[in-house]
Amino acid sequence: MTDLKNLLEQAAGTDPVVTDADVAADLNRGRRAARRRRFAGAGLTTVAAAVTIGALAVPLAFSPADGSGTDGSASGGSGTAVSAPPATSGTTALSAGDVLLVAAAHEEQAEATTGTYFRVRKVYSREWTVLADGRIVCCGSAPAGPGGYKLRELTVNETWTGLKGGTAWLGTRSLGARPATPADEAAWRTAGAPTSWNAGPTDTADKHDQVLSSKPGKAVLYEMKDAADRYTAPGMNSTLEDVLALPATPKQLRARLLETKALTAPDADDVVALVQFSGSLLSDTPALPKVRAAAFRLLAGLPGATVRQNVTDLSGRTGTAVAFSFPEYSLNLRLIVDPKTGKLLSSSYTGGKNGDSTVLLSGWTDDTPKAPPASMK
């Protein structure tokens, strides 16, 4: 443990302040790289050149969204450039890549810490379909039909990953279910506005019924001795020492993550895998500051990102969102960053059958493990 503690302290550096020069250097590096890609693409086909040039994404103004996209953001396809609205007076035009490079400059200077546990608090969301006859079906993929509606249930999970030779804990609590949309709320009121729903027997040993409620549920805390000093992100069952040994340059980190992809999901698209693994590394592991910075820089060089200002996460924090979307894989990753400091506020992953997860808290602590609160914070 002493060696790992010393390694963390050495990685912290002596000056945790991100200077204007740090940010400017990162942005200049990113723009020079974009120009190099532009020149390199001169002899390519039109489509290949568009993919190459679009690697830092679309320049967008740091001003309220104008509704140009379905979610208020301008969007390019995977690496396809789209004309951006002009910057308004008093705003600074930054691309999605620029936002991520500011975050990288911040993370590189961040202070590494140690603790007894690495704690991650996530809020998971999933949909249930309530049919007109009262039957309830997971997980939102079934149409509600006439007289039916959909519910969105939020559950908060908190993991406390201990050190080698220690233990780990998992705390969980339902935050309740409610109609997913205003239209669902209207159908719910027509159905009598029930406050609980019986989903039928579970796959537990006693086959008890799973009952959803509109109120927060009882918190539980489980000890998981086998999970101590184990991190499943990014796509691997790693120890703390493995995580601390991740490479600290974008090129080397990319190669390492693609090695993991080759072992775990060889048929997956490289960009999809890099986005997913990098997001998990940032939110779910105690990676060193320089490794986290490398992950941000790696993401900044990938095609297909969109940016939107004044986005609020599930806990009410507001920042600038950088999002990657892969409809063909039903996968979306959204990072919300404080535009002033570059700090990662939350990471949201959406995929599969209408479910998503948002990281609200991630870091070392000496607190005693306990079940999560009945609120999102």
Side-chain angles (χ1 to χ4, degrees), residues 73-98:
S73 63
S75 175
S78 204
T80 304
V82 176
S83 298
T88 57
S89 177
T91 65
T92 302
L94 292 178
S95 71
D98 289 341

Side-chain angles (χ1 to χ4, degrees), residues 231-248:
Y231 298 89
T232 57
M236 52 190 173
N237 187 23
S238 303
T239 65
L240 176 59
E241 193 166 8
D242 293 332
V243 172
L244 296 180
L246 287 170

